[in-house]
Amino acid sequence: LVMRHKRFAHTREVLLRALAQRDRGSLRTQVECVWLALGGPAALADAEALADAEAYLELLEELDEGGALLSVTDLEQRLAKLFARPDPEADEGLQLMTIHKAKGLEFDVVILPGLAAATRVDDLDLLVWLERPRAERDADILLAPLDAPGQDHQDPLYAWVRLLRKEQARLEQARLLYVAVTRAREQLHLLGVATVKEQEGRREAAEPRRGSLLALLWPAVKDEFERSLAADAMPAAAGQERRATGFTRLRPDWSIPAPGGSVRWAGSTVLASEEVPEFEWVGETLRHVGTVVHRMLQRIADEGVEHWDEARLQRASSTLRQLLAQAGVPEVELDGATRDVAQAVRNCLGDAKGRWLLTAHPEARSEYALSLLEDGRLKTGIIDRSFVDEDGVRWIVDYKTSRHSGADMEAFLEQERLRYAPQLERYASLMQGLGTPRVKVALYFPLLQRFVPWEPHGPEP
């Protein structure tokens, strides 16, 4: 029909193009591309329908074997068990519960699905019993055992007790059904399925399975099923075309939306990171020492500086060595690197400024990740320590594990300040943009026990 009818010219073109490229991509990709080209999403009514379409495509992806579907039967069987997902736009007004849980409650609308489902067949128990009240506090208990295998008859008492128990179960089902249908204040929807049987050339609805709620309702709803079956069998009136339900037509003037503009990506820049040693002969060990020092200072700040002392640091020595080994420090350098990390942490804990940095403060954060969009480029970085002090000043602190063994310590510290000032002042600008009125930045050198603070755009007096 699609290939012959002129009204489906666009559909025919899409299908022919899809068939020509059917060997490209996965099964899901092939079907999804055709669906998109035909305007499938435009025919969906809401987000729930889109979720259903996604569930179907995911099923195709599961059944994909090299870009093909090996068995249509498998697809049909899986589709029979593929249920719609919850409505993503539904509010809390929709509740799913058992009949027992609904007892005592009322709802504007009640929907009872699966009425044709029956409980499992009652197996023959080895022993059946029934309690029959006799007096105010007394009761008779009827016990009946199952006959031995091979006998051609059933014990009358056993059969009678089982019959009474079945009647009790039927009455209990009727009570549950009454509870369910009386929960509705305005609307009640009963959903059930009946099979169709052929008898003497006439089609009629078969009685539901015993033990189902629909079987209890059957005397009242049988005529509804018969009328629906008769209407389905009636031929269409002259000149009247019977249309299949469940299809949505797009508007005649509909066309595929034009794609959006190309995405322009200017790349990203790292604002700050652990510095790589300037001299190649130093190797990677110094950088790994700095990384582990950062991790330990973050841990101390998170747990509380008051919980760390020399004994605790000694117990953590093996942990430091393991962290350095995991970072890639060679075996021959592990001992020295472990001593450096321990010394940096020990210096920080023994220094008044170091302990002040690690002490709990308002809005304190360690390893604070930030991103900044500047001149169309995304710039990212991590602040080692940030908090607000008692004067309302936001501090941005960067730890540096640099060493200095020569004279003129002040000149070295000033050189380091000038070196890292641009990145720290970018952080300060970002914090000010987030509403922080006053920001100070600082470098802290644990191995040197030196604290170098300044206000952005100029050293502190």
Side-chain angles (χ1 to χ4, degrees), residues 80-252:
K81 299 180 180 180
L82 185 64
F83 300 102
R85 294 174 176 176
D87 186 355
E89 298 179 353
D91 56 20
E92 297 180 355
L94 178 64
Q95 299 184 48
L96 180 66
M97 62 180 63
T98 63
I99 297 177
H100 291 87
K101 190 175 180 180
K103 186 177 179 180
L105 304 176
E106 285 188 338
F107 306 91
D108 293 336
V109 180
V110 171
I111 303 173
L112 298 179
L115 295 178
T119 57
R120 65 181 181 88
V121 178
D122 189 11
D123 298 328
L124 295 178
D125 297 321
L126 293 176
L127 182 68
V128 294
W129 64 89
L130 186 67
E131 184 177 341
R132 297 175 60 87
R134 185 182 61 177
E136 183 177 352
R137 292 187 178 181
D138 297 330
D140 291 331
I141 298 179
L142 300 178
L143 296 174
L146 180 66
D147 287 340
Q151 294 189 7
D152 56 358
H153 66 279
Q154 193 175 72
D155 180 75
L157 182 59
Y158 185 91
W160 183 57
V161 174
R162 289 191 75 242
L163 182 62
L164 291 178
R165 291 182 60 176
K166 286 184 178 180
E167 181 63 15
Q168 282 184 336
R170 189 187 69 82
L171 294 175
E172 175 62 17
Q173 276 195 309
R175 187 189 70 82
L176 286 176
L177 181 60
Y178 173 79
V179 170
V181 299
T182 54
R183 299 309 93 201
R185 283 193 289 255
E186 298 181 5
Q187 297 182 28
L188 173 65
H189 299 269
L190 304 174
L191 308 182
V193 177
T195 59
V196 178
K197 65 179 180 179
E198 298 277 353
Q199 188 172 4
E200 298 179 356
R202 186 167 58 89
R203 303 170 71 233
E204 61 180 17
E207 290 190 9
R209 294 175 57 187
R210 293 182 180 180
S212 66
L213 296 180
L214 186 58
L216 296 174
L217 291 171
W218 193 244
V221 301
K222 178 181 178 180
D223 293 342
E224 293 289 338
F225 282 88
E226 295 289 354
R227 280 193 291 269
S228 177
L229 182 60
D232 185 65
M234 289 179 57
Q240 181 181 5
E241 180 184 355
R242 296 187 66 184
R243 295 183 177 179
T245 59
F247 292 92
T248 302
R249 292 186 181 276
L250 300 178
R251 300 191 313 271

